[in-house]
Amino acid sequence: MKARDLFPDATARQLLTVSGLASFDALWSLRADWHEAPNERRGGWSGVSRHLLADGSAIFVKRQDNHLCRTPQHPFRGIPTFYREYQNILRLHRHDIGTVEALYYGDRRETGHWRAILVTRALDSFMSLDEWNAKAAQHVQQERQSLIAATACACARLHHHGLQHSSLYGKHVFVRRTPKASSAYEESDVCFIDLEKLRKRISRARVSAHDLDQLMRHTGGWSDEDWSAFRAAYRQQLSALKG
């Protein structure tokens, strides 16, 4: 059996150790209700559970079996989609782009099965952009305008590094329920989730066109005026990053 256990740092390992969850077997056998019903495809499955640690904080435990994706480096056998997501989480952190905090990745490969686990902190102080927009009437105009600009800046930083999210929907862009700085949102209040399809591209123009087209088609609640403000802030941030 081939095995792999990865922790991003000693703090993450210690956090899971205190709760008795610092091993693949402990996490795989963890009894927790599905937060999202398992997704089955091509003879494999993938599901997500929510669990409270000993300190009271929440984590998401994502487990899968034979749920693989092909990559240029592994065009035939493929790799677990969670391994690519784990790598992408670390990649975004290196570029100071908001995303979830990974605590553990592990997999076990034996005859007939390739099982994988990804553990991340729950984003309890955040909500999806779709959810935020659904409650737009509760927000003052200044807060709304700052959120649009902050989201644009986060997208611009992602694309500045040639990174294409590939599933940039409002449900995959998370924003703080309450901004850190008074009533104004900043780029640090925005993060991206579901990074299984994120990849590096050569052409920034194509990255931008692909992701922003998706975001506009799959995000509700913004007017034409809002999108104009978004595009202006996006272009301004890209220009600043290039400078």
Side-chain angles (χ1 to χ4, degrees), residues 11 19 31 40 49 60 68 79 94 105 136 157 166 181 227 237:
T11 301
S19 295
R31 291 189 177 183
E40 299 183 10
S49 300
F60 283 118
L68 310 175
I79 60 173
R94 288 196 297 271
Y105 171 80
R157 187 175 302 277
S166 303
W227 284 114
Q237 176 74 333

Side-chain angles (χ1 to χ4, degrees), residues 158-159 164-166 168 207-215:
L158 183 75
H159 297 156
Q164 179 177 302
H165 188 284
S166 303
L168 194 60
V207 165
S208 175
H210 181 280
D211 272 356
L212 296 190
D213 177 66
Q214 279 192 331
L215 186 65

Side-chain angles (χ1 to χ4, degrees), residues 12 14 24 38 53 59 63 73 81 86 94 117 121 130-131 140 143 156 168 170 175 181 184 195 200 203 220 226:
Q14 179 61 25
F24 186 94
L53 296 177
I59 60 171
R63 290 171 279 196
Q73 295 78 22
T81 60
Y86 177 76
R94 288 196 297 271
I117 300 173
R121 282 191 184 272
D130 283 345
E131 184 182 353
V140 298
E143 191 175 74
L168 194 60
V175 300
L195 305 179
K200 179 85 171 178
S203 171
D226 291 334

Side-chain angles (χ1 to χ4, degrees), residues 28-42:
W28 188 263
S29 61
L30 179 67
R31 291 189 177 183
D33 293 335
W34 292 116
H35 182 76
E36 296 178 6
N39 173 27
E40 299 183 10
R41 72 174 186 185
R42 283 180 261 172

Side-chain angles (χ1 to χ4, degrees), residues 4-232:
R4 175 166 43 187
D5 295 284
L6 303 174
F7 296 87
D9 51 48
T11 301
R13 183 193 293 269
Q14 179 61 25
L15 182 68
L16 294 179
T17 297
V18 171
S19 295
L21 295 174
S23 72
F24 186 94
D25 289 342
L27 288 162
W28 188 263
S29 61
L30 179 67
R31 291 189 177 183
D33 293 335
W34 292 116
H35 182 76
E36 296 178 6
N39 173 27
E40 299 183 10
R41 72 174 186 185
R42 283 180 261 172
W45 61 266
S46 178
V48 183
S49 300
R50 179 183 169 92
H51 180 73
L52 291 180
L53 296 177
D55 66 357
S57 62
I59 60 171
F60 283 118
V61 180
K62 306 175 74 171
R63 290 171 279 196
Q64 63 184 197
D65 187 358
N66 290 341
H67 204 269
L68 310 175
C69 61
R70 292 182 174 85
T71 69
Q73 295 78 22
H74 304 90
F76 303 111
R77 185 185 63 192
I79 60 173
T81 60
F82 287 165
Y83 182 56
R84 183 162 72 178
E85 184 171 9
Y86 177 76
Q87 291 179 311
N88 283 333
I89 290 171
L90 300 186
R91 174 186 284 179
L92 262 59
H93 279 295
R94 288 196 297 271
H95 292 306
D96 292 323
I97 300 171
T99 188
V100 296
E101 180 185 354
L103 299 176
Y104 169 84
Y105 171 80
D107 58 32
R108 299 290 185 271
R109 183 152 55 97
E110 51 191 4
T111 304
H113 292 278
W114 196 347
R115 292 172 174 163
I117 300 173
L118 174 62
V119 180
T120 63
R121 282 191 184 272
L123 290 171
D124 287 344
S125 59
F126 286 71
M127 68 173 76
S128 73
L129 182 58
D130 283 345
E131 184 182 353
W132 197 96
N133 286 339
K135 300 177 179 179
Q138 302 175 16
H139 307 295
V140 298
Q141 185 63 15
Q142 179 186 355
E143 191 175 74
R144 178 185 179 84
Q145 291 173 342
S146 68
L147 175 74
I148 292 171
T151 304
C153 289
C155 290
R157 187 175 302 277
L158 183 75
H159 297 156
H160 169 72
H161 292 287
L163 299 175
Q164 179 177 302
H165 188 284
S166 303
S167 188
L168 194 60
Y169 303 168
K171 66 181 180 180
H172 295 153
V173 179
F174 269 51
V175 300
R176 290 189 193 277
R177 297 179 183 275
T178 303
K180 277 186 175 180
S182 62
S183 62
Y185 277 91
E186 299 178 351
E187 184 184 340
S188 59
D189 294 316
V190 180
C191 67
F192 301 101
I193 68 166
D194 280 19
L195 305 179
E196 294 178 8
K197 297 180 181 179
L198 184 141
R199 63 200 63 195
K200 179 85 171 178
R201 296 294 194 191
I202 296 176
S203 171
R204 292 179 182 172
R206 289 187 178 182
V207 165
S208 175
H210 181 280
D211 272 356
L212 296 190
D213 177 66
Q214 279 192 331
L215 186 65
M216 293 179 68
R217 287 189 294 109
H218 296 281
T219 304
W222 283 3
S223 65
D224 290 343
E225 184 179 352
D226 291 334
W227 284 114
S228 293
F230 174 93
R231 288 190 290 270

